[in-house]
């Protein structure tokens, strides 16, 4: 490809105009392109077509799962506009939203960080006193601090944490390489994990982060159920798939405590009590049993349903349990290196025990006696659990009338049904069980593994590149500790029975002081225990403002990279459109500088291009014909072989030992090791789904006597987490933090629409403007998440959230929060 083709992305001005006018129709109405372009320097409206304008291919990548392709319009070295660009692999993924349209104001934000900054000596962290330093001094100081803390306290004492900022091949692997060489500790961001862990532990290792049918398959659904998902705000780029399916005749049911915007577009909105999705799923399953609607063939052939469970070991009964000899198959498990033996699971057929792969007609709901032991099928054990959740019991827990439960069950018995699941229900202490129960509910009536039949949120990562650059010392020499357990480890100075200190933290792609639970623990417990904190970001975020050194990064369109995640099942090429402004530097260049000062420069001699080329040196890429050159030329390449991707179809089997959906867990394994002891009975709790009350958000919990509201967040329509927080045109539409309250609750507290109110609990408080809304469930409060602290009149939302976690799941429970609300006036503290 010639240099000019490369930079112009092959788009003619006329082609571009056509594309952008379609884009304007699909994005939310946020003002015309004129107001956007006017924001950038060096552009004046009415110039001749294409006069000096270069168009580069950008990939928007804030982790909204969209990874939209954008045309990045450049005039005289300035980005003047962003507009929608096509996906080469599938035009269904062409889209842009109000954030994508407003990049210019984010890039040229007058408050964008310009130079490396150091906290002025003698001033408090967070006091806002900074001095400009050179890159050389910044890198030298950071290297010295790393050396100092590792020499004194051990390698693990230097830690890093990353979040939603930018998952790209060169970016992430270059950081990974340095962390790997330093054997640094990873403070792992514990968001969204109840869903991912809940699904993967039943579906098998090495499955995608969250696998389900591709969005383009939604058109095949007869019914769509959106649960715990605020799709018109949180996945606006997926909304058109729902709309198209509806036009094709699909019904839409929204199950959410709040009457969300998408609920207003649905055929039916089912309000549910927060933290009770598991009970709902168990209740629907109960009705399937009552109606004899179970898809016996699916349960028999694709799930562990007919497998017998040993009453003592709690594992599946295998031939060796009744005296059979395991036979070596001649194969070795590539993951574990163990010999693979043939020791088949046993099922019941005509009252006798038969190897599962020899049984033509196994009994699903069965029990047999053997040597005085009672073997029961995992299906029978599941049924016992489900039996406890009659529609009446479930109605009591979920606050959904029984008749409504029957109506929802009717939808599922009239499939195919796509259950599009957001992250609302899983963000409670009982969250893993929502996914556990939900997938089982879908499976029971065969709503998995077929066109139109799906459960989950599509969230794939490209795991198939060559990762060796990012791990020169081999996989994981570095310890991982969980962010919700971080304060416990810091306080005790112990981890896994050994002394373990963390003294220095490098933060990139993340803003935990704004987005992680319990800000006051961060401010008063975590930060004071750290000798040094470095933050690499483009803005003075909440987290950056508490750093000792702040590094100004190059933003997405100022670097060349390949993005690797999202819901479009493609890897995408992001061209470098402009040079980083001011003294901003790309993260890989920052790493190179620091590595140099650490004497590790020899490990970082590859250029960005070479790092990217190396990424494609994998067997998968070779066999799939995915090359760096092709991705560059096309803009993107699909990495998923089937299209539309149907999760758990016969071609995409479960990766469990049996190749089946193992809804009964033989070996429940905690997601992560933490400082918390796991009581033995918890292992049994995890084998099958159970509903148990959330940590706080349950009316009978003592804390709710003191703090009677459940505080739930939604995704801000104008931000992704805290990103875009300072974009002028978006702030015009959404100027300040708000909290929605039911008018009856407001009246009881004499709160009027527009009043400033304080939400508070023992952990902290946040002040926001009250919005009275009949759409908010009485007893709940709803706020758009992730403003920066300074944007609140006082406090901030994350102050109210708890770091308490379930020791099995180890997830941050963003919705499991009790609080109260009262009037607030200026001058109150
Ligand atoms: N604009 C924007 N988009 C984003 C993001 C962003 O910050 N901004 N973040 C991205 C990320 S990282 C993620 S993980 C996704 C999250 O995507 P979603 O989970 O769809 O986003 P939320 O807005 O948190 O929506 C959660 C919904 O769950 C509801 N809910 C709360 N509790 C319960 C419950 O117990 N049961 C049920 N059924 N519903 C409940 C809430 O009312 C809310 O409507 O969004 C991604 N997209
Ligand atoms: N109340 C409440 N809080 C929540 C949630 C909730 O539901 N409710 N949801 C949680 C969820 S699901 C998630 S995923 C987390 C997300 O939590 P975070 O990942 O902390 O959220 P972001 O605000 O997106 O922070 C990303 C930061 O990276 C920076 N960044 C962007 N690109 C780059 C880059 O190329 N290099 C560097 N160095 N930095 C870059 C951005 O400017 C931004 O400051 O929030 C969680 N917080
Ligand atoms: S913020 Fe998300 S939906 Fe909007 S343009 Fe960027 S990637 Fe697309
Ligand atoms: Mo997330």
């Amino acid at each position: 490809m010639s240099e000019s083709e490369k930079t112009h992305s092959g788009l003619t001005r006329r082609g571009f105009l056509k594309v952008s006018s379609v884009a304007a129709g699909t994005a939310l109405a946020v003002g015309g392109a004129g107001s956007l372009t006017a924001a950038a320097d060096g552009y004046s409206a009415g110039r001749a077509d294409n006069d000096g304008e270069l168009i580069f291919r950008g990939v928007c990548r804030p982790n909204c799962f969209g990874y939209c392709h954008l045309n990045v319009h450049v005039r005289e070295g300035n980005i003047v506009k962003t507009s929608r660009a096509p996906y080469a692999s599938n035009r269904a993924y062409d889209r842009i939203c109000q954030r994508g349209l407003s990049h210019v104001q984010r890039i040229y934000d007058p408050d964008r960080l310009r130079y490396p900054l150091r906290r002025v000596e003698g001033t408090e962290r967070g006091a806002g006193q900074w001095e400009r330093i050179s890159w050389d001094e910044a890198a030298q100081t950071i290297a010295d601090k790393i050396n100092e803390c590792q020499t004194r306290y051990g390698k693990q004492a230097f830690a890093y944490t990353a979040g939603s900022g930018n998952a790209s091949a060169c970016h992430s692997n270059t950081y990974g390489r340095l962390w790997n060489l330093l054997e640094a500790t990873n403070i792992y961001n514990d968001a969204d994990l109840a869903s991912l862990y809940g699904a993967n532990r039943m579906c098998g290792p090495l499955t995608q982060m969250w696998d389900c049918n591709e969005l383009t398959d939604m058109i095949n659904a007869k019914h769509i159920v959106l649960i715990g998902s605020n799709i018109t705000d949180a996945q606006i780029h997926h909304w058109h798939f729902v709309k198209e399916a509806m036009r094709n005749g699909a019904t839409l049911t929204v199950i959410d405590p709040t009457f969300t915007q998408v609920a207003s577009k649905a055929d039916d909105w089912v309000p549910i009590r927060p933290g009770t999705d598991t009970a709902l799923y168990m209740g629907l399953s109960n009705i399937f049993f009552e109606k004899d609607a179970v898809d016996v063939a699916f349960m028999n052939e694709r799930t562990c349903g007919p497998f017998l469970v040993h009453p003592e070991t709690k594992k599946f009964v295998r031939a060796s349990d009744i005296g059979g000899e395991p036979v070596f198959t001649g194969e070795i498990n590539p993951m574990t290196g163990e010999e693979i033996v043939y020791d088949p699971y046993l099922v019941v057929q005509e009252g006798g025990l038969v190897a599962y792969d020899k049984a033509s007609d196994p009994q699903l709901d069965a029990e047999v006696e053997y040597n005085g032991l009672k073997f029961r099928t995992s299906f029978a054990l599941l049924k016992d659990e489900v039996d406890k959740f009659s529609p009446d019991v479930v109605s009591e827990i979920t606050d959904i009338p029984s008749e409504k439960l029957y109506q929802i069950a009717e939808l599922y018995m009239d499939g195919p049904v796509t259950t599009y699941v957001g992250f609302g229900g899983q963000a409670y202490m009982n969250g893993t069980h929502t996914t556990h129960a939900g997938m089982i509910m879908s499976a029971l009536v065969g709503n998995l593994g077929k066109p139109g039949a799906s459960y989950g949120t599509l969230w794939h990562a490209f795991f198939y590149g060559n990762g060796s650059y990012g791990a020169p010392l081999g996989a994981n020499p570095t310890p991982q500790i969980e962010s919700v357990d971080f304060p416990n480890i810091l306080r005790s100075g112990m981890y896994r029975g050994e002394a373990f200190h963390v003294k220095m933290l490098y933060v990139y792609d993340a803003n935990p002081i704004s987005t992680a639970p319990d800000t006051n623990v961060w401010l008063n417990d975590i930060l004071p225990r750290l000798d040094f904190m470095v933050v690499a970001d483009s803005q003075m975020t909440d987290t950056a403002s508490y750093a000792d050194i702040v590094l100004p990064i190059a933003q997405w369109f100022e670097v060349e990279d390949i993005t690797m995640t999202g819901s479009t099942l493609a890897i995408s090429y992001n061209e470098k459109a402009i040079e980083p402004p001011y003294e901003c530097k790309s993260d890989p260049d920052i790493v190179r500088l620091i590595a140099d000062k650490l004497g590790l420069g020899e490990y970082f001699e590859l250029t960005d291009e070479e790092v990217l080329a190396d990424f494609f040196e994998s067997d998968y890429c070779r066999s799939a014909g995915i090359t760096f050159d092709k991705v560059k030329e096309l803009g993107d390449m699909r990495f998923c072989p089937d299209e539309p991707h149907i999760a758990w179809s016969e071609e995409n089997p479960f990766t469990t030992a049996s190749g089946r959906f193992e809804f009964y867990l033989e070996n429940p394994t905690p997601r992560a090791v933490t400082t918390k002891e796991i009581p033995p009975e918890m292992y049994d709790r995890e084998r099958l789904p159970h509903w148990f009350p959330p940590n706080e958000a349950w009316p009978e919990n003592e804390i709710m006597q003191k703090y009677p509201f459940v505080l739930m967040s939604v995704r801000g329509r104008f931000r992704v987490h805290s990103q875009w927080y300072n974009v002028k045109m978006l702030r015009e539409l959404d100027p300040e933090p708000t909290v929605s309250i039911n008018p009856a609750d407001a009246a009881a507290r004499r709160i009027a629409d527009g009043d400033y109110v304080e939400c508070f609990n023992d952990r902290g408080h946040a002040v926001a403007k009250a919005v009275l809304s009949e759409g908010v469930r009485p007893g709940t409060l709803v706020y758009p998440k992730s403003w920066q602290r300074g944007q609140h009149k006082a406090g901030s939302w994350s102050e109210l959230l708890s770091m308490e976690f379930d020791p099995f799941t180890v997830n941050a429970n963003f919705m499991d929060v009790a609080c109260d609300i009262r009037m607030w006036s200026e001058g109150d503290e």
Side-chain angles (χ1 to χ4, degrees):
M1 204 168 32
S2 77
E3 199 55 34
S4 65
E5 274 167 3
K6 205 164 68 185
T7 51
H8 287 75
S9 303
L11 258 189
T12 62
R13 180 73 179 165
R14 174 171 290 185
F16 152 66
L17 281 175
K18 243 191 324 207
V19 172
S20 69
S21 64
V22 180
T26 50
L28 288 185
V30 290
S35 61
L36 276 172
T37 48
D41 296 339
Y43 177 84
S44 61
R47 280 196 184 191
D49 264 3
N50 234 1
D51 171 23
E53 180 165 296
L54 301 177
I55 297 174
F56 297 82
R57 170 59 55 86
V59 187
C60 189
R61 44 191 190 281
N63 190 25
C64 64
F65 314 168
Y67 292 85
C68 299
H69 286 189
L70 308 185
N71 295 310
V72 179
H73 303 249
V74 175
R75 283 175 188 262
E76 291 161 15
N78 285 321
I79 296 176
V80 294
K81 183 162 85 171
T82 40
S83 64
R84 187 172 78 161
Y87 253 76
S89 57
N90 192 337
R91 298 295 304 268
Y93 298 124
D94 300 0
R95 58 265 172 112
I96 192 168
C97 79
Q98 63 279 16
R99 297 173 300 264
L101 285 165
S102 59
H103 274 291
V104 169
Q105 291 192 346
R106 188 175 174 195
I107 296 163
Y108 298 108
D109 184 335
D111 292 339
R112 182 164 170 184
L113 294 172
R114 299 170 178 216
Y115 319 105
L117 298 172
R118 180 171 52 203
R119 175 171 57 85
V120 172
E121 220 178 309
T123 64
E124 292 275 306
R125 274 195 191 135
Q129 301 282 307
W130 300 101
E131 59 179 327
R132 178 177 169 181
I133 54 173
S134 69
W135 273 105
D136 190 67
E137 193 178 353
Q140 188 65 57
T141 311
I142 293 167
D144 290 347
K145 293 285 178 188
I146 293 174
N147 279 330
E148 205 178 295
C149 95
Q150 289 200 319
T151 310
R152 194 147 166 222
Y153 299 100
K155 296 225 163 180
Q156 85 298 326
F158 172 63
Y160 64 95
T161 193
S164 265
N166 182 5
S168 304
C170 181
H171 173 91
S172 306
N173 279 326
T174 307
Y175 269 126
R177 187 171 179 84
L178 181 60
W179 307 151
N180 185 277
L181 288 166
L182 289 171
E183 297 179 43
T185 299
N186 179 9
I187 313 291
Y188 192 67
N189 186 341
D190 293 315
D192 308 328
L193 295 168
S195 294
L196 312 186
Y197 164 68
N200 291 352
R201 68 185 192 168
M202 296 185 286
C203 299
L206 288 186
T207 55
Q208 278 294 345
M209 295 163 85
W210 205 358
D211 202 2
C212 69
N213 294 5
E214 190 168 359
L215 276 307
T216 46
D217 168 63
M218 217 183 244
I219 196 85
N220 297 314
K222 192 161 179 189
H223 304 292
I224 296 170
V225 176
L226 262 165
I227 180 159
S229 160
N230 191 25
I231 192 172
T232 48
D233 291 348
Q235 274 94 41
I236 180 66
H237 44 284
H238 290 172
W239 164 241
H240 71 97
F241 293 111
V242 180
K243 199 66 202 154
E244 281 151 21
M246 288 171 84
R247 251 185 246 127
N248 199 37
T251 68
L252 175 65
T253 301
V254 170
I255 305 177
D256 199 299
T258 307
F259 187 67
T260 53
Q261 187 190 49
V262 72
S264 75
K265 306 289 172 211
D267 297 285
D268 198 9
W269 165 55
V270 182
I272 184 169
R273 195 194 307 278
T276 66
D277 290 14
T278 304
L280 166 67
Y281 292 131
M282 295 298 263
L284 296 175
S285 302
N286 188 294
I287 296 172
F288 303 153
F289 285 121
E290 180 194 323
K291 299 280 183 190
D292 205 12
V294 172
D295 185 336
V296 175
F298 186 85
M299 293 305 287
N300 256 337
E301 289 156 23
R302 302 293 318 279
T303 80
C304 66
F307 294 179
L308 290 161
V309 175
H310 196 290
E312 286 166 357
T313 64
K314 309 268 172 78
K315 295 187 192 298
F316 295 130
V317 179
R318 290 166 169 84
S320 55
D321 290 306
I322 59 166
E325 275 291 317
V327 181
F328 177 43
T329 58
E331 286 174 49
I332 303 285
N333 181 331
M335 296 297 297
T336 61
E338 287 168 8
E339 292 180 350
I340 299 177
V341 293
Y342 179 67
D343 184 11
Y345 306 97
L346 296 185
V347 299
V348 183
Q349 185 163 284
E350 291 169 3
L353 292 170
V354 180
Y356 79 113
D357 51 350
K358 303 282 182 322
S360 53
D361 187 22
Q363 281 172 254
L364 199 47
D365 186 1
E367 167 178 320
V368 286
E369 291 258 333
Y370 173 80
N371 269 355
L373 294 169
K374 200 185 277 179
F375 295 159
R376 303 186 69 211
T377 59
S378 57
F379 183 84
L381 297 176
L382 171 67
K383 197 157 173 286
D384 284 354
E385 282 311 313
V386 169
D387 281 347
K388 296 174 190 161
F389 290 88
S390 68
D392 284 347
V393 167
V394 170
S395 183
E396 190 71 21
I397 298 172
T398 59
D399 202 22
I400 300 173
S402 294
E403 313 81 73
K404 186 54 82 181
L405 295 172
Y406 279 96
Q407 277 174 28
I408 304 170
E410 286 296 335
L411 299 176
Y412 280 97
M413 294 186 283
D414 176 38
V417 181
T418 291
T419 311
Y420 183 107
V421 191
F423 293 82
Q426 64 98 52
Y428 298 81
M429 197 101 122
N430 57 11
T432 292
H433 290 253
T434 62
T435 317
H436 201 153
M439 268 194 94
I440 289 176
M441 181 279 299
S442 275
L444 277 173
V445 279
N447 271 312
L448 278 186
K450 297 168 202 159
S454 177
Y455 178 93
T457 289
L458 193 77
W459 185 219
H460 276 212
F462 184 69
F463 293 140
Y464 322 109
N466 171 19
S468 63
Y469 184 77
L473 301 185
N476 290 336
T478 63
Q480 174 174 309
I481 64 180
E482 304 303 310
S483 54
V484 287
D485 202 27
F486 189 27
N488 301 332
I489 293 166
L490 283 177
R491 277 182 215 123
S492 66
M494 299 285 289
Y495 184 55
R496 294 185 181 215
E498 288 179 18
F500 195 102
H501 299 283
V502 174
K503 292 290 180 185
M504 179 171 174
L505 184 62
Y506 186 107
V507 183
Y508 63 110
D509 298 348
N511 183 13
I513 307 283
S514 162
T515 58
D518 215 335
T519 311
N520 286 319
V521 165
W522 271 90
L523 296 182
N524 304 324
D525 229 358
I526 295 178
L527 295 189
R529 289 187 160 85
L530 299 176
D531 292 343
F532 208 75
M533 181 163 79
V534 180
V535 176
D537 209 305
S538 57
Q539 313 280 141
M540 189 57 80
T541 63
D542 283 347
T543 312
S545 71
Y546 285 93
D548 299 292
I549 282 191
V550 177
L551 303 176
I553 56 141
Q555 287 187 354
W556 303 328
F557 310 137
E558 298 155 18
V559 294
E560 178 185 25
D561 219 327
I562 300 273
T563 62
M564 307 183 289
T565 48
S567 59
T568 61
L569 307 184
I571 48 175
S572 300
Y573 180 62
N574 180 90
E575 280 178 315
K576 178 172 173 170
I578 56 166
E579 285 303 322
Y582 320 113
E583 282 188 18
C584 297
K585 264 192 199 306
S586 76
D587 293 85
D589 280 346
I590 295 172
V591 171
R592 290 182 185 108
L593 257 184
I594 298 171
D596 235 13
K597 300 289 184 196
L598 286 164
L600 296 170
E602 64 188 290
Y603 291 92
F604 293 89
E605 281 167 0
L606 298 190
T607 62
D608 288 2
E609 278 239 311
E610 288 165 340
V611 173
L612 287 171
D614 182 66
F615 178 69
F616 290 87
E617 295 299 324
S618 74
D619 290 345
Y620 181 91
C621 289
R622 272 188 286 273
S623 67
I626 299 178
T627 66
F628 184 31
D629 283 344
K630 266 204 217 161
V631 178
K632 257 180 162 174
E633 186 188 328
L634 297 169
D636 61 277
M637 280 188 86
R638 191 177 170 84
F639 60 78
C640 192
D642 59 334
E643 187 167 12
H645 171 64
I646 306 294
W648 324 124
S649 63
E650 303 277 355
E651 294 72 44
N652 291 316
F654 298 96
T655 57
T656 51
S658 65
R660 294 171 176 229
F661 177 47
E662 294 191 6
F663 62 77
Y664 173 90
L665 304 185
E666 277 194 294
N667 301 303
T669 311
R671 190 191 63 74
V673 178
T674 66
T675 52
K676 281 199 187 185
E677 294 262 326
I678 301 185
E681 61 275 12
M682 214 176 247
Y683 285 83
D684 283 337
R685 184 195 74 181
E686 296 300 305
R687 292 183 194 282
L688 284 166
H690 293 93
W691 180 80
F692 47 93
N695 187 42
E696 295 191 358
W698 179 243
E700 288 163 24
N701 284 347
E702 209 181 305
I703 190 154
M704 292 223 58
Q705 312 316 311
K706 186 171 174 196
Y707 295 115
F709 286 88
V710 175
L711 180 71
M712 295 182 292
S713 59
V714 284
R715 311 283 148 171
R717 184 175 299 171
F718 302 101
R719 296 179 302 285
V720 174
H721 310 298
S722 67
Q723 302 182 63
W724 279 271
Y725 75 93
N726 203 30
V727 168
K728 226 172 9 182
M729 62 168 288
L730 300 180
R731 288 295 299 281
E732 264 178 45
L733 296 159
D734 184 31
E736 63 183 321
T738 57
V739 60
S740 298
I741 179 170
N742 186 280
D745 287 332
R749 284 166 170 71
R750 298 177 185 281
I751 294 168
D753 197 71
D755 283 345
Y756 283 107
V757 288
E758 179 186 40
C759 299
F760 63 99
N761 60 21
D762 288 344
R763 289 178 291 268
H765 73 149
V767 171
K769 204 168 213 172
V771 175
L772 270 54
S773 167
E774 296 282 356
V776 172
R777 185 184 169 84
T780 69
L781 299 169
V782 178
Y783 66 96
K785 75 185 267 306
S786 298
W787 290 90
Q788 308 284 344
R789 280 172 73 71
Q791 295 181 308
H792 301 73
K793 290 273 183 191
S796 63
W797 288 120
S798 297
E799 284 191 17
L800 288 116
L801 312 189
S802 165
M803 272 206 206
E804 199 51 49
F805 61 91
D806 179 89
F808 231 90
T809 299
V810 199
N811 192 37
N813 303 309
F814 298 106
M815 309 278 183
D816 202 347
V817 179
C819 81
D820 203 352
I821 182 169
R822 61 189 166 210
M823 287 292 291
W824 184 87
S825 12
E826 210 76 51
D828 290 1
E829 242 323 300

